[in-house]
Structures are given as C-alpha cells and as structure tokens.
C-alpha cells in the first residue's frame, strides 16, 4: 500500500539521496517502455512525428497505448481518441491531491501539471514530508519525460527493423506497466470491485464492439459499484 505524504514538520524527511534513487528507479524503468510505445505506434500506422508529438504533448502512457491500440485494431479515430481521453481523466484527480500536497509556486503549476501521471503521483505520495514529495515528483517527472520521449523516437525509427510488435510482446508492455502500478493501490473491497467489473466489461465487450468503445464502457464500473454500495448501505 502506498502511504500518503504528510506536511512538513509532521515527520522526519528522508535523505535526499534515497528519494532521488527511488525516483530515478521509477523514471528509468517506466521511461524505457516508451520504446514499446514508439514501435506500437508505428505498427498502427502512426507516423514518427505523430508518435513523438503524442509523447511530448499528451505524456500519459496508458492513454497513448489505448489510442494506438484502438487504431491498430481498426477503430474509428474519434472513438479511439475518446477512449484515451476518458482513461486520462484520472490524472485530474491526481492533480487535486498533489496540489494540496506539493503546494508549488503559482508560476510552476502549469508546468508541473503536465507531469501529473501515475508514476509521479505514486512516488510523491510515498514520501513522508512535503520537501521529499516535491523532490520525488520532480526527479520522477524529469527522468521519465526525457526517457519516454527519447525512447518513443527510437522505437518509432526502429519499428521497421523489429517487425511485428506482437511477435516480441511489446504491444503488452504499456498495459503491463499500468497494471503493475495500479494493483498495489487497490486496498479496499470497493476499489477491487471496480477493477474486477471494469475488467469484465472491457474484455466482455471487446469482441462485440468497435475498438475503443469497450474502454468507454469499462469506465462505467466505478459509478455502478458506488451505486450498488449505496443501495446496500
């Protein structure tokens, strides 16, 4: 379980070296999967320029993989974009929590908002104080952003030499990383119920509906579980 950070003075801060080490570990490990995104994007018909623009401007791996995956499956571009958008809305909720935790200067907030993703949120919330949380957020964001964009470019350029991404299993790298980060956060029965129902809905409608639509339907798992819980209580 990831513990939430507490304000300055409420706990003894971690050594800076330890925070930087952990943040770099996450940034490097996840940043290298940008290579898989670049290859997958190229295999779905997305140009190198478009793939790099997605990584530079969107910078949320799960949504990027969802978009190119839907396109590769022959989905409508608008449906694919809608699915990626709704998948990325979780970052808005991360931002609400991080804004209270980090309390960055007003001038830095627009730049920091671009780095509000699963990995930076997890590292920041794992810290015991605001100073460590800010450092962890910054180091994770910077290392991951640089590596993700660099490896996206390399993956897109090298896609032709690699061939079919499914032969290498690279098309599963993005979802695997996302699930690995999400699983430890499912600590309550409600959260686990939402995850299971979303999985059932997504996989159940996958062979029946156009690519990208099952993701939208899976998003209904959260309100459905909360409604059912409210009925029971």
């Amino acid at each position: 379980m990831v513990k939430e950070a507490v304000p300055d003075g409420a706990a003894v801060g971690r050594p800076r070296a330890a925070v930087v080490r952990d943040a770099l570990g996450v940034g490097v490990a996840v940043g290298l999967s940008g290579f898989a995104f670049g290859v997958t994007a190229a295999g779905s018909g997305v140009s190198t320029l478009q793939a790099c623009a997605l990584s530079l401007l969107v910078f949320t791996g799960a949504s990027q993989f969802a978009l190119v995956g839907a396109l590769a499956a022959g989905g409508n571009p608008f449906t694919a974009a809608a699915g990626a958008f709704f998948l990325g809305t979780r970052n808005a909720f991360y931002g609400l929590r991080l804004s209270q935790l980090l309390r960055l200067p007003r001038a830095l907030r627009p730049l920091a908002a671009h780095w509000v993703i699963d990995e930076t949120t997890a590292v920041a919330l794992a810290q015991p104080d605001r100073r460590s949380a800010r450092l962890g957020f910054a180091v994770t964001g910077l290392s991951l952003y640089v590596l993700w964009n660099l490896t996206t470019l390399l993956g897109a350029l090298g896609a032709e030499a690699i061939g079919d991404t499914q032969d290498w299993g690279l098309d599963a790298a993005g979802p695997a990383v996302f699930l690995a980060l999400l699983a430890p956060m499912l600590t309550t029965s409600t959260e686990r119920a939402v995850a299971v129902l979303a999985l059932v809905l997504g996989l159940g409608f996958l062979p029946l509906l156009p690519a990208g639509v099952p993701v939208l339907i899976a998003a209904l798992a959260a309100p459905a579980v909360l409604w059912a819980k409210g009925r029971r209580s």
Side-chain angles (χ1 to χ4, degrees):
M1 176 179 177
V2 177
K3 63 179 181 179
E4 288 195 5
V6 296
D8 289 329
V12 177
R14 295 181 65 202
R16 290 174 60 88
V19 177
V20 172
R21 180 197 63 217
D22 293 345
L24 281 176
V26 172
V28 172
V30 180
L32 292 176
S33 63
F35 183 82
F37 170 72
V39 173
T40 304
S44 67
V46 175
S47 70
T48 298
L49 180 60
Q50 290 170 328
C52 291
L54 281 171
S55 287
L56 284 168
L57 302 176
V58 178
F59 188 52
T60 173
S63 295
Q64 291 177 233
F65 273 104
L67 175 63
V68 299
L71 292 176
N76 182 287
F78 294 102
T79 303
F85 172 80
F86 281 108
L87 187 57
T89 55
R90 69 191 187 282
N91 294 337
F93 296 99
Y94 294 161
L96 293 175
R97 178 65 187 96
L98 289 179
S99 65
Q100 299 173 350
L101 170 64
L102 302 178
R103 295 188 181 179
L104 296 172
R106 191 176 299 273
L108 294 179
R109 291 175 189 174
L111 298 175
H114 194 49
W115 287 356
V116 176
I117 54 176
D118 301 301
E119 295 81 5
T120 54
T121 301
V123 172
L125 292 180
Q127 308 309 318
D129 62 278
R130 179 168 294 121
R131 178 183 174 186
S132 298
R134 285 178 171 180
L135 179 61
F137 177 87
V139 174
T140 305
L142 178 61
S143 59
L144 181 48
Y145 189 72
V146 171
L147 269 178
W148 180 266
N149 282 280
L150 177 60
T151 53
T152 293
L153 174 61
L154 295 176
L157 292 175
E160 185 175 345
I162 291 177
D164 190 351
T165 58
Q166 295 185 7
D167 292 339
W168 295 80
L170 293 177
D171 56 315
V177 170
F178 180 72
L179 289 176
L181 289 165
L182 178 64
M185 298 183 181
L186 303 178
T187 56
T188 68
S189 58
T190 300
E191 292 168 347
R192 288 190 287 268
V194 170
V196 171
L197 181 57
L199 180 65
V200 170
L201 289 174
L203 293 179
F205 285 99
L206 187 62
L208 305 175
L209 298 174
V213 177
V215 175
L216 301 179
I217 294 178
L220 299 175
V225 170
L226 292 176
W227 177 82
K229 183 179 179 181
R231 290 272 296 179
R232 287 197 303 270
S233 61

